[in-house]
Amino acid sequence: MALFSGETAVIRLRTFVLVLVYAALSVGYFLQNASYGYTGVDDVFVLAGSWRLFNGQIPYKDALFIRPPIPYFLHSLWFFLPDGWQVLSTRLFFYIEMALSGFLPMLWAVRTNRVHCFTRFLALGIIFFAFAIHSTPAQAWHQIDAIFLASAALTSFLFSLTAKTGSARLGFRISSSLLFCIAAFCKQGFGIFPLMLLTFAGWEKFQLKEDGKKRHGTTLFWCSIVPCFLVAVSIVGCLAWMDGLRAFLHQMSILTIKPLIDSGVRAYLYSPLQIFALAGFVIVFIRYRPTAAPPGNPSFFSKLDLAFFLIVYILVIQANRILIFFPAYALFWLAIGGLLGKSFLSFYLRQPFPLISWCVYVGILSIAWAASISLGYPTPVHGFAALAVLFDDLLPVPFKIKWKNNLASIIIAGLILLSFSLHNYRHYNGGPNRNVPLVNLADVFPRLGPIFTPTEYYEAQKELKQLCVGHAISKGKSFFAIPNDPLIYFLLNQVNTLLLDSAWEIEFLGNEKRFYDQIISKKPILVVEKFPMRPLNRPANLLPHCKDLSDSYRSIEHRHIGNLKAQSFELVTNLVKDWQLIAEGKYFCVFRHPTDF
């Protein structure tokens, strides 16, 4: 007797293949890239904050955080590992999270037998996974944690709609409620999901009441609401117990509403890319018109499908060269158009549009939308790993012959994966010139682990360490590295007593005077980069001006302060110009307060 038979055997085989492919992708990318590239900026922001919590500091009170607390606590676990594994572990975790954020919704589609063409479905999954992970450095990051948790929550929610037993439905609904709430405490924009779940649960309760299933509807309603409420109360209560709640509420209120409006609303309402919504509408209309079942012109559908793959290929490769990720918005609008097209045809043909389809489309697109609510990375691309579920549903199957579908899908996915791999190789090995010599940064910072960077960056970090140790640590003084080396305190086994690890103005927005006064009172040694720093000139329309420090976001210029050439943002110009230059290297200058002897 066969172990599996019929459809069950096919589904289990597809599940196994899906697991195998995504495991290979996450591990393969980690092995290829994990030991290359280190900027000391974005890829260690969260880890630096976690180092503070690991050493007993109170979040939002002892340190200024502009993001919710869960990731700081989550990534503090890496410090229990032996030295040298912290950064590498966050990079592996990044690839695993991104893989799971695409894998889980796709697993639901496979397990519920909603895949039209599995080979193409898998190819689309690989494409969008590659697209998503190449839009941000491999790092511990709030947004990635939130996307993973929201994808897991959405998958659990979808299973709660398709589960065959009442206990399974309740179990999946409880887990979705818990995960949606935790995702909201990773990134502010994901707070939309608990509200969406509450709305759906209320509507569902009303519908089941009308169908004579009042008791079951009431149980589902409370299973959707109570777990989320308990998680929120627990987190808020923990912050209150730590005496950080008031500071937390202050910080969250500063950088939540305006980014929501600017990058979450205006970026879409005024986008010229709405033409892609029309394209998506047309694709769906052509596929689902009454005369198109079965397709009357297979060659046309072949060209349409292959043209889409070609467009995606061009867009995703160009995504690496366009700062605002134009291709991401194009694909987002294409999916929106597909949803509108399916809705219109459902109404036109007087056929019910399945509730489960609505939930899939709205859930996956909402994850991408929530991921775009950011001042640093305002793009929906991070949430694209699960788009394969949508586009497999939107696109027609190109060929009648199965092997042609398989071959075309494999070739396209392979080309995109190869292109991204080559780009990643160039990126992590010092830029377009692959002949740039690489040096192991662990020779300077043993706690960092084996990370290979270009020689010039290695020399700069070596100088930074020497200056911090020679002029601050060896003399028992605190120090502050400007502009961006937040993990320097962990690497030198120090605990920062200042409010910030980094000089990015966005990090102390709304607390300018508090931070400025602390710098003046504690008089730390300032280690400042000599040459023009990484751009700090965020567009003025995205952030309010910093009134306490005389308008930090005025037009950027360069000023010479002694031998220092620094950008004229207030923390540098208001402090360094009045402090005493005591040492100068090739990359950094060291300053101390005039009264600090």
Side-chain angles (χ1 to χ4, degrees), residues 25 29 53 71 87 92 111 126 210 247-248 298 324 334 416 454 477 487 505 511 581 584:
L25 285 173
Y29 266 100
L53 269 59
V87 173
L92 175 60
R111 299 299 296 177
I126 294 172
E210 293 292 314
F248 164 74
I324 61 172
L334 194 64
I416 290 182
K477 295 181 177 292
L487 201 62
E505 289 178 322
N511 295 275
L581 176 66
E584 179 181 359

Side-chain angles (χ1 to χ4, degrees), residues 322-550:
I322 301 177
L323 179 62
I324 61 172
F325 302 102
F326 163 85
Y329 287 101
L331 289 172
F332 183 88
W333 279 111
L334 194 64
I336 289 287
L339 174 60
L340 295 176
K342 290 175 71 71
S343 302
F344 173 80
L345 283 173
S346 176
F347 173 79
Y348 178 74
L349 300 174
R350 297 182 180 180
Q351 297 175 352
F353 190 70
L355 173 65
I356 192 69
S357 296
W358 261 108
C359 293
V360 170
Y361 273 81
V362 173
I364 293 176
L365 291 175
S366 294
I367 291 175
W369 174 80
S372 70
I373 303 174
S374 170
L375 293 173
Y377 297 92
T379 168
V381 68
H382 302 130
F384 274 9
L387 274 187
V389 179
L390 302 191
F391 281 104
D392 179 71
D393 184 53
L394 286 176
L395 294 172
V397 178
F399 301 113
K400 288 184 176 180
I401 303 176
K402 186 176 181 180
W403 72 265
K404 289 186 177 181
N405 288 320
N406 297 341
L407 181 62
S409 301
I410 292 171
I411 290 175
I412 296 293
L415 284 174
I416 290 182
L417 202 58
L418 176 64
S419 300
F420 271 131
S421 297
L422 292 175
H423 167 80
N424 227 29
Y425 179 82
R426 292 193 298 269
H427 173 71
Y428 282 115
N429 285 269
N433 183 6
R434 297 186 220 172
N435 297 319
V436 173
L438 298 177
V439 189
N440 189 354
L441 204 54
D443 296 339
V444 178
F445 297 117
R447 303 188 92 187
L448 185 62
I451 302 293
F452 294 88
T453 64
T455 304
E456 185 177 13
Y457 187 81
Y458 172 92
E459 294 297 331
Q461 292 297 298
K462 184 178 180 180
E463 181 181 292
L464 175 64
K465 177 182 179 179
Q466 293 171 345
L467 294 176
C468 290
V469 172
H471 295 276
I473 297 175
S474 64
K475 299 178 181 180
K477 295 181 177 292
S478 61
F479 67 93
F480 189 62
I482 299 176
N484 292 294
D485 288 282
L487 201 62
I488 188 69
Y489 301 96
F490 162 71
L491 297 178
L492 297 176
N493 198 24
Q494 301 293 305
V495 180
N496 186 14
T497 58
L498 299 174
L499 290 170
L500 283 179
D501 296 312
S502 168
W504 275 85
E505 289 178 322
I506 189 176
E507 299 296 321
F508 57 88
L509 189 66
N511 295 275
E512 295 86 359
K513 190 175 186 305
R514 179 186 172 195
F515 182 52
Y516 185 80
D517 290 343
Q518 187 192 53
I519 290 286
I520 297 298
S521 64
K522 291 201 172 187
K523 302 174 184 178
I525 296 296
L526 301 180
V527 185
V528 186
E529 189 175 3
K530 290 175 60 175
F531 303 103
M533 295 172 289
R534 187 181 184 209
L536 297 173
N537 52 327
R538 296 285 180 189
N541 63 327
L542 290 183
L543 293 172
H545 288 172
C546 304
K547 301 299 183 184
D548 291 311
L549 291 181
S550 305

Side-chain angles (χ1 to χ4, degrees), residues 34 104 149 152 164 215 260 281 284 331 344 366 385 425 481:
L104 291 174
L149 289 167
K164 296 182 179 180
R215 182 176 179 180
L260 176 64
F281 185 95
V284 173
L331 289 172
F344 173 80
S366 294
Y425 179 82

